[in-house]
């Protein structure tokens, strides 16, 4: 009984004594009401920061649909270059005049893949492109459309000290450049001038009235063939069947030797000073190719061949072999 009385007394102390005009839970209720007011004001402030207002109609984070490609960026990025087209679009107060897609994203009818470089430039006003970027001219056109004059200057071709266009996206690889390329170009220009001049002549081989501008180099001839060996490996049902003769080497040398008989369909518009391994001849006679190389002053310096058995006939035991052979020619 004494313990029960003590517990009841503690309960009365925790509840507090009654005062005039104030309920026992009044202090707790006032604190709860004050906390609710603070939370409500904080939510209102956060909502006012996230939602656009009349003075700032655009949200901080903006979604763009550029030619079907979706980009998400900050509003400050889009207005980082004053006077640009994006700055004009996203500083106006009439937000309803901008086109939107079905999901409410701002729509720009331009190249969506190239816009990534436009957006990268808008972030820090620097241009970083991949190596051997093939669409430099198109990106320059996009920069002109978005009114970015500094980016247009960065993308414009620059003249080097040799008065050649630098930053060419289709320039030759370093290992493909000939050390005598400039000399060869000068000699070619001189020979063309001599040929066009009255009484001018040009010698394509050693000795003659004109200068010899033949360049040294290698040309490799390769072909795949098939042949059939009988049971005794001496009777050939089909001695040789050449499907295609491949030509590997510098483009200018291949065109010089084979001329119109060279098929360039697999590697069109190849610069003269670059190498290719995709040309092939319009004929399938190896001797004809050898004659043309010999007439141009080339001589064979190496050859190799590999052969594999494709399959064997069950009844006759004849084996069908496939081979790949290469002949390397050189001209000094």
């Amino acid at each position: 009984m004494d313990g029960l009385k003590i517990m009841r007394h503690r309960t009365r102390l925790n509840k507090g004594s009654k005062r005039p005009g104030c309920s026992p839970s009044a202090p707790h209720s006032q604190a709860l009401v004050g906390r609710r007011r603070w939370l409500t004001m904080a939510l209102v402030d956060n909502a006012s920061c996230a939602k656009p207002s009349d003075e700032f109609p655009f949200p901080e984070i903006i979604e763009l649909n550029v030619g079907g490609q979706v980009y998400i960026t900050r509003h400050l990025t889009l207005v980082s270059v004053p006077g640009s087209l994006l700055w004009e679009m996203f500083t106006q107060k009439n937000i309803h005049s901008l086109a939107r897609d079905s999901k409410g994203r701002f729509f720009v009818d331009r190249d969506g893949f190239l816009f990534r470089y436009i957006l990268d430039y808008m972030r820090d006003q620097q241009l970083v492109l991949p190596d051997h970027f093939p669409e430099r001219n198109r990106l320059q056109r996009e920069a002109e459309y978005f009114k970015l004059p500094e980016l247009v200057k960065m993308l414009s071709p620059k003249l080097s000290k040799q008065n050649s266009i630098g930053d060419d996206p289709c320039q030759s690889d370093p290992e493909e450049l000939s050390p005598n390329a400039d000399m060869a170009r000068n000699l070619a220009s001189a020979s063309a001038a001599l040929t066009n001049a009255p009484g001018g002549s040009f010698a394509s081989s050693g000795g003659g009235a004109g200068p010899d501008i033949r360049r040294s180099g290698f040309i490799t001839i390769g072909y795949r063939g098939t042949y059939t060996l009988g049971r005794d490996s001496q009777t050939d049902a089909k001695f040789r069947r050449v499907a295609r003769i491949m030509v590997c080497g510098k483009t200018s040398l291949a065109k010089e030797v084979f001329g119109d008989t060279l098929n360039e369909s697999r590697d069109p518009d190849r610069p003269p000073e670059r190498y290719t391994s995709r040309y092939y001849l319009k004929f399938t006679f190896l001797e004809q190719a050898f004659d043309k190389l010999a007439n141009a002053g080339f001589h064979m310096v190496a050859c190799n061949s590999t052969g594999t058995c494709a399959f064997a006939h069950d009844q006759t035991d004849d084996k069908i072999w496939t081979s790949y052979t290469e002949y390397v020619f050189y001209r000094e």
Side-chain angles (χ1 to χ4, degrees):
M1 290 298 293
D2 293 338
L4 183 60
K5 290 181 180 179
I6 293 173
M7 291 178 63
R8 290 177 179 176
H9 180 67
R10 288 179 178 177
T11 303
R12 293 192 189 99
L13 291 177
N14 292 334
K15 290 183 178 181
S17 60
K18 294 183 180 181
R19 295 180 182 179
C22 180
S23 62
S25 59
H28 178 70
S29 299
Q30 290 179 355
L32 182 60
V33 171
R35 182 175 179 82
R36 287 178 178 176
R37 288 179 180 176
W38 180 82
L39 291 174
T40 303
M41 293 176 64
L43 292 175
V44 171
D45 292 339
N46 292 335
S48 62
C49 294
K51 295 182 180 180
S53 61
D54 294 337
E55 295 181 358
F56 302 98
F58 295 98
E60 182 181 359
I61 305 301
I62 294 180
E63 294 187 21
L64 296 173
N65 180 352
V66 183
Q69 299 296 316
V70 178
Y71 293 90
I72 301 177
T73 185
R74 299 184 61 186
H75 178 263
L76 294 178
T77 301
L78 298 177
V79 298
S80 60
V81 181
S84 64
L85 179 63
L86 294 173
W87 180 86
E88 295 175 356
M89 292 174 57
F90 293 98
T91 54
Q92 58 180 315
K93 294 184 178 181
N94 186 12
I95 191 174
H96 301 288
S97 62
L98 300 179
R100 294 175 179 257
D101 62 5
S102 59
K103 295 186 178 180
R105 295 180 289 238
F106 296 101
F107 179 75
V108 181
D109 190 15
R110 299 300 295 182
D111 193 316
F113 294 99
L114 293 179
F115 184 75
R116 59 180 296 188
Y117 304 107
I118 300 293
L119 193 58
D120 284 343
Y121 173 79
M122 298 289 289
R123 291 189 176 106
D124 51 13
Q125 279 73 58
Q126 294 183 1
L127 176 64
V128 179
L129 297 177
D131 296 336
H132 307 291
F133 185 65
E135 296 184 301
R136 197 180 189 93
N137 292 333
R138 295 189 60 188
L139 182 57
Q140 182 180 358
R141 186 179 62 180
E142 294 298 307
E144 294 174 352
Y145 175 81
F146 285 103
K147 299 180 181 180
L148 300 171
E150 295 299 326
L151 181 58
V152 173
K153 292 180 182 179
M154 295 179 183
L155 293 170
S156 300
K158 299 177 182 179
L159 292 177
S160 63
K161 295 181 180 180
Q162 291 80 13
N163 294 329
S164 61
I165 296 180
D167 297 331
D168 186 3
C170 297
Q171 61 184 351
S172 300
D173 297 332
E175 64 272 13
E176 294 181 344
L177 290 176
S178 172
N180 298 323
D182 294 336
M183 183 181 298
R185 293 192 189 96
N186 295 334
L187 291 175
S189 300
S191 64
L194 289 174
T195 304
N196 296 329
S201 62
F202 167 69
S204 60
S205 60
D212 185 5
I213 68 165
R214 296 189 312 172
R215 288 172 292 177
S216 61
F218 290 87
I219 290 182
T220 301
I221 300 296
Y223 78 93
R224 297 184 185 276
T226 61
Y227 55 94
T228 305
L229 290 180
R231 182 177 302 177
D232 55 359
S233 300
Q234 294 181 358
T235 59
D236 297 336
K238 293 182 180 179
F239 174 69
R240 185 181 64 190
R241 184 176 61 190
V242 179
R244 180 175 292 174
I245 300 177
M246 306 297 298
V247 178
C248 307
K250 186 173 290 186
T251 303
S252 57
L253 291 179
K255 291 182 178 180
E256 175 192 342
V257 174
F258 298 105
D260 296 336
T261 61
L262 189 68
N263 194 324
E264 308 173 32
S265 60
R266 296 180 60 190
D267 198 2
D269 301 329
R270 192 72 167 175
E273 294 304 321
R274 298 191 68 177
Y275 292 85
T276 181
S277 60
R278 299 176 62 85
Y279 287 169
Y280 63 93
L281 301 178
K282 298 179 181 179
F283 54 85
T284 57
F285 297 99
L286 286 173
E287 293 75 13
Q288 186 176 352
F290 295 161
D291 289 340
K292 288 183 174 294
L293 287 165
N295 294 333
F298 285 82
H299 61 277
M300 187 171 63
V301 295
C303 66
N304 65 83
S305 181
T306 59
T308 57
C309 182
F311 62 91
H313 199 278
D314 296 336
Q315 298 179 356
T316 62
D317 292 336
D318 291 343
K319 295 182 179 180
I320 306 298
W321 290 77
T322 61
S323 65
Y324 179 74
T325 307
E326 287 184 343
Y327 301 93
V328 181
F329 291 82
Y330 176 71
R331 184 177 69 183
E332 295 182 355

